[in-house]
């Protein structure tokens, strides 16, 4: 396996820089992507991709079936992806997410897919990739929207992950600077934790809201979730008392 990895890495290194760069972009989004999405990336990133990917197809590094481009083997994607430094990968994922975010404002299927894709790219980068304070709010808000979309699809595991990532992008003093955003992220994360049976996360999230919320009305959701969790845990007397 080590010999295969070395062979593939050397094969990729002799490619033109534009082709290597395009392959790296593709590797950031998984094993495959269709032509329409790559065209969207070209517009968002303001760089040519398709011609370079066609050259990679001729070199046998990619397969092209219809309008879909796919790495010929998982090891090729891995070799392309790991050729870049970890910090470079983070910054690249983050720039991809920020570039796609403005294109995800609609309610159609394509916009929803771009929303989830943009959020995934930001989350792969993590808060360490943020360059400007305003980007923290953008990333947190995008994850809030992605989490809501996942809830609409009844995928509460994914929704909780998006809300949790959104919280991770919030800066210190976020309860003072972005109260409404913080409250909604914590509320919905707590709701998903309840649905998923993750009572540890529910208690941690609820404790934060109970400490930071400005009013009883703002605390009611997590108080309700905590009461439900007691009932679901066969602690009915405590649930009734809380109620």
């Amino acid at each position: 396996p080590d010999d295969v990895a070395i062979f593939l890495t050397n094969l990729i290194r002799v490619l033109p820089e534009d082709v290597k760069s395009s392959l790296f972009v593709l590797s950031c989004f998984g094993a495959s992507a269709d032509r329409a999405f790559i065209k969207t990336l070209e517009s968002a990133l303001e760089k040519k991709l398709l011609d370079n990917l066609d050259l990679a197809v001729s070199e046998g590094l990619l397969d092209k079936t219809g309008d879909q481009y796919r790495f010929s083997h998982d090891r090729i994607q891995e070799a392309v992806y790991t050729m870049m430094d970890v910090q470079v990968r983070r910054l690249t994922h983050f720039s991809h997410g920020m570039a796609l975010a403005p294109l995800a404002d609609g309610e159609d299927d394509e916009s929803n897919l771009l929303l989830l894709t943009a959020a995934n790219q930001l989350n792969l980068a993590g808060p360490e990739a943020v360059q400007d304070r305003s980007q923290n709010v953008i990333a947190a808000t995008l994850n809030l929207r992605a989490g809501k979309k996942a809830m609409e699809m009844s995928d509460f595991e994914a929704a909780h992950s998006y809300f949790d990532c959104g919280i991770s992008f919030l800066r210190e003093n976020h309860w003072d600077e972005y109260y409404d955003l913080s409250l909604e992220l914590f509320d919905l994360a707590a709701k998903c934790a309840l649905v998923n049976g993750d009572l540890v996360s529910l208690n941690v999230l609820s404790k934060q809201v109970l400490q930071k919320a400005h009013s009883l009305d703002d605390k009611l959701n997590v108080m309700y979730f905590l009461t439900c969790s007691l009932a679901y845990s066969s602690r009915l007397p405590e649930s009734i008392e809380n109620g």
Side-chain angles (χ1 to χ4, degrees):
D2 292 339
D3 290 342
V4 172
I6 292 170
F7 170 74
L8 291 173
T9 300
N10 291 335
L11 182 63
I12 293 162
R13 280 191 175 135
V14 300
L15 294 171
E17 287 299 323
D18 287 348
V19 178
K20 285 191 286 188
S21 175
S22 298
L23 281 171
F24 179 61
V25 170
L26 182 62
S27 74
C28 290
F29 292 90
S32 65
D34 61 34
R35 184 182 180 86
F37 177 68
I38 296 170
K39 291 286 287 183
T40 300
L41 276 179
E42 284 189 327
S43 175
L45 302 178
E46 297 181 351
K47 64 189 301 183
K48 290 185 177 181
L49 299 173
L50 284 170
D51 290 344
N52 295 324
L53 295 180
D54 284 334
L55 182 55
V57 171
S58 68
E59 292 291 331
L61 295 170
L62 296 178
D63 291 329
K64 185 179 179 183
T65 306
D67 285 336
Q68 188 175 69
Y69 291 81
R70 177 181 293 276
F71 282 97
S72 303
H73 195 279
D74 292 343
R75 294 302 297 268
I76 297 176
Q77 181 195 354
E78 181 184 342
V80 171
Y81 188 70
T82 55
M83 282 182 68
M84 297 293 180
D85 177 74
V86 172
Q87 185 59 21
V88 172
R89 293 202 298 265
R90 283 179 179 164
L91 294 173
T92 303
H93 280 302
F94 194 80
S95 66
H96 290 167
M98 294 298 292
L100 291 173
L103 306 178
D105 285 337
E107 291 299 325
D108 56 284
D109 290 343
E110 182 180 355
S111 295
N112 290 334
L113 179 59
L114 288 174
L115 168 63
L116 299 178
T117 303
N120 290 338
Q121 289 293 303
L122 294 177
N123 297 340
L124 285 168
E128 299 83 1
V130 173
Q131 305 291 304
D132 182 82
R133 287 180 65 91
S134 63
Q135 294 175 332
N136 288 86
V137 182
I138 294 172
T141 303
L142 202 70
N143 271 291
L144 175 63
R145 292 175 54 208
K148 288 180 176 178
K149 186 56 61 178
M151 288 179 72
E152 289 178 15
M153 297 184 288
S154 299
D155 189 347
F156 288 91
E157 290 280 354
H160 186 270
S161 177
Y162 285 122
F163 296 137
D164 190 50
C165 287
I167 290 170
S168 74
F169 277 103
L170 295 173
R171 298 180 68 92
E172 192 176 353
N173 300 321
H174 60 88
W175 283 103
D176 296 324
E177 296 179 9
Y178 305 104
Y179 178 79
D180 290 340
L181 174 60
S182 300
L183 182 63
E184 192 168 11
L185 278 169
F186 274 82
D187 263 3
L188 292 175
K191 183 175 184 177
C192 290
L194 175 64
V195 174
N196 295 331
D198 186 354
L199 302 186
V200 174
S201 293
L202 172 60
N203 286 319
V204 171
L205 293 161
S206 299
K207 182 178 180 180
Q208 180 98 207
V209 174
L210 293 174
Q211 288 176 346
K212 300 293 186 179
H214 292 171
S215 66
L216 176 62
D217 281 351
D218 289 347
K219 298 177 183 179
L220 281 176
N221 281 339
V222 295
M223 292 170 70
Y224 171 70
F225 300 148
L226 287 170
T227 302
C228 289
S229 72
L230 291 171
Y232 299 159
S233 303
S234 300
R235 296 161 64 184
L236 197 56
E238 292 176 69
S239 178
I240 293 171
E241 184 180 348
N242 268 20

